[in-house]
């Protein structure tokens, strides 16, 4: 599997501003447009973070001051313009493999065992909405502008927006308006409809600082409890209440035996900060 220490990405900045807090900053100028190399690095980084015991929370940010990401790099269409196959059926199979690989890269954010906080500022459109929809928590600077743009370039979004975004908000009519028109919506509108949990006044530095503070708070909690909670939330989202309860009972019959419970209760009683072992 390798480790984050050994991996040297070219299009991301890797930083540990605090114990257990990993900041992954997209860094492909001028606009963080995603080509194949970019999303392959994203996939690799989240696979590594998911299994690294030194990582408890991931913050996904942008190193560029003016924006988060402009989405797909339309100058690097790859399989979209590849005509090397001899017939349409073979071309379709090749296209399907390409789409599934791309989907898997973005799904790695959601499938990461650690909570992921998206710290968004400036422009975040197209693939940016796919990426942020896969995060656990979304925080937006007041400068943020979102947009589900795929219809404006002649395709239905196929990397996750149409599947994940509707689960993050409670207004189907609003979702369809955004999808069908491709119009932008700002941080205040995103917050109004529940897509982001809060809006931070300012830009990149302000929202990143707020995200890191939240990540520090989460990283101080039991990794057994936090990672277990993420796993159970994801399971319950896709199953009935009764299925979720039954699965949680099976899950916790082992996890409640962790030393973390004793440590957390002892820390509360003595008013001392708890110290949890790595997971």
């Amino acid at each position: 599997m390798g480790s984050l220490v050994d991996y040297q990405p070219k299009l991301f900045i890797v930083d540990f501003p605090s114990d257990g807090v990993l900041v992954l900053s997209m860094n492909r100028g001028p606009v963080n447009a995603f080509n194949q190399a970019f999303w392959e690095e994203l996939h690799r980084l989240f696979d590594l973070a998911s299994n690294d015991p030194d990582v408890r929370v991931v913050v996904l940010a942008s190193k560029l001051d003016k924006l988060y990401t402009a989405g797909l790099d339309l100058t690097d269409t790859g399989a979209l313009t590849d005509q090397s196959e001899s017939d349409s059926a073979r071309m379709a199979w090749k296209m399907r493999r390409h789409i599934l690989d791309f989907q898997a890269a973005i799904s790695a954010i959601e499938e990461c065992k650690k909570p992921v906080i998206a710290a968004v500022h400036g422009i975040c459109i197209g693939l940016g909405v796919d990426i942020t929809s896969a995060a656990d928590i979304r925080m937006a600077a007041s400068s943020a502008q979102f947009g589900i743009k795929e219809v404006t370039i002649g395709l239905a979004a196929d990397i996750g927006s149409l599947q994940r975004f509707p689960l993050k908000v409670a207004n189907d009519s609003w979702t369809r308006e955004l999808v069908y028109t491709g119009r932008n919506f700002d941080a205040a509108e995103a917050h109004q409809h529940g897509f982001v949990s809060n809006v931070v006044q300012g830009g990149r530095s302000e929202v990143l600082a707020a995200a890191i503070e939240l990540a520090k708070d989460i990283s101080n909690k039991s990794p057994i409890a936090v990672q277990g909670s993420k796993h159970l939330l994801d399971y319950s989202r896709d199953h009935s209440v009764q299925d979720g309860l039954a699965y949680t009972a099976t899950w916790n019959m082992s996890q409640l035996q962790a030393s973390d419970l004793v440590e957390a209760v002892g820390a509360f009683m003595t008013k001392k900060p708890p110290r949890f072992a790595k997971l």
Side-chain angles (χ1 to χ4, degrees):
M1 173 59 72
S3 69
L4 278 166
V5 174
D6 298 328
Y7 185 53
Q8 299 294 322
K10 297 179 180 179
L11 302 170
F12 284 82
I13 304 296
V14 176
D15 185 34
F16 282 90
S18 179
D19 187 34
V21 176
L22 167 66
V23 177
L24 298 177
S25 297
M26 297 177 285
N27 189 39
R28 185 180 184 240
V31 293
N32 279 337
F34 273 78
N35 61 1
Q36 183 161 335
F38 201 3
W39 56 257
E40 285 178 348
E41 273 197 12
L42 176 81
H43 194 173
R44 179 69 171 150
L45 284 165
F46 273 97
D47 280 351
L48 292 171
S50 185
N51 294 288
D52 191 326
D54 290 322
V55 177
R56 295 193 179 184
V57 187
V58 182
V59 176
L60 182 57
S62 166
K63 194 67 175 177
L64 307 182
D65 285 333
K66 293 185 178 180
L67 54 76
Y68 196 70
T69 173
L72 184 66
D73 186 346
L74 297 177
T75 68
D76 182 52
T77 53
L80 294 177
T81 55
D82 183 356
Q83 299 298 321
S84 61
E85 297 298 338
S86 59
D87 58 57
S88 58
R90 286 171 174 78
M91 189 65 235
W93 278 97
K94 188 171 186 176
M95 179 71 76
R96 184 174 188 271
R97 287 194 297 270
H98 177 77
I99 295 170
L100 289 174
D101 286 346
F102 205 162
Q103 288 177 348
I106 306 308
S107 292
I109 301 170
E110 182 176 71
E111 293 167 1
C112 180
K113 298 182 185 76
K114 321 301 170 59
V116 179
I117 303 170
V120 183
H121 72 281
I123 295 296
C124 176
I125 59 174
L127 185 60
V129 176
D130 294 298
I131 290 168
T132 52
S133 294
D136 293 89
I137 298 169
R138 287 159 297 282
M139 305 178 70
S142 55
S143 65
Q145 290 281 332
F146 300 89
I148 303 170
K149 293 293 187 181
E150 282 79 357
V151 295
T152 64
I153 59 170
L155 59 89
D158 56 3
I159 311 298
S161 285
L162 301 185
Q163 292 70 40
R164 294 189 177 99
F165 183 84
L167 298 176
K168 311 301 180 183
V169 301
N171 190 323
D172 180 71
S173 175
W174 181 67
T175 297
R176 290 170 185 267
E177 176 191 333
L178 297 176
V179 170
Y180 299 160
T181 66
R183 74 167 177 84
N184 285 1
F185 56 103
D186 62 16
E189 188 175 1
H191 185 254
Q192 176 189 349
H193 291 283
F195 184 58
V196 300
S197 55
N198 55 70
V199 177
V200 179
Q201 291 302 311
R204 175 184 174 275
S205 60
E206 288 79 11
V207 72
L208 180 56
I212 290 172
E213 285 305 306
L214 176 59
K216 287 180 181 178
D217 188 9
I218 296 170
S219 70
N220 289 329
K221 306 299 189 294
S222 157
I224 289 282
V226 172
Q227 293 179 44
S229 294
K230 173 169 181 172
H231 180 72
L232 293 171
L233 282 168
D234 289 346
Y235 182 92
S236 296
R237 175 198 61 202
D238 300 328
H239 295 79
S240 70
V241 172
Q242 288 304 316
D243 286 346
L245 288 170
Y247 182 78
T248 299
T250 302
W251 178 269
N252 265 358
M253 72 184 188
S254 64
Q255 300 302 289
L256 287 175
Q257 299 179 55
S259 60
D260 297 40
L261 183 60
V262 175
E263 175 67 20
V265 172
F268 177 77
M269 298 297 291
T270 60
K271 295 181 171 54
K272 294 180 180 179
R275 297 178 64 86
F276 299 109
K278 294 179 181 179
L279 180 60

